[in-house]
Amino acid sequence: MSSMFGALGISASGMAAERLRMDVTSDNLANADSTKGADGQPYQRQEVVLQAGGQSFSDVLGGVQAGVQATAIVSDPSPGREVYDPSHPDANAQGYVTLPNVNTVTEMTDLITESRSYEANVQAMDTAKQLYLKTLDVLR
């Protein structure tokens, strides 16, 4: 019976993954100008690592849920942006401030993609639900 509703679980896992990605992207946007974090360094852009779940035959037999799962949130290792602003309190001796490696255009593009992926998973879940309801109607 659990495999009958597998499409719902797959869609739900996709929705959860996209929600997490949207949360991380929102954090990136909120910290786009944070020159000092708790460690005294500029904020580092974060990314979510996703992995497909339940793809092998042994996974299916072992009850591993198919779909997608977030395995980690990692820092983007690319360097921050150097901006000349000698009046900034975090400027170095040459007058440059190191800003986070967050590009707002990239983050907004990611946010749109994540939102549309979430919507696609909602549509897939609704379609599966309608199919299950039609199946129940036929069995009556």
Side-chain angles (χ1 to χ4, degrees), residues 8 10 36 51 53-55 61 70 75-77 89 91-92 104 107 109 112 122-123 131 133 137:
L8 294 175
I10 291 169
K36 274 194 181 172
Q51 177 180 341
Q55 297 300 308
L61 289 178
S75 294
D76 179 352
N92 63 16
T104 54
E107 298 302 322
T109 303
I112 291 168
V122 169
Q123 279 290 352
L131 289 172
L133 290 173
D137 285 343

Side-chain angles (χ1 to χ4, degrees), residues 74-89:
V74 297
S75 294
D76 179 352
S78 62
R81 299 173 287 135
E82 295 285 326
V83 175
Y84 183 73
D85 186 1
S87 64
H88 195 284

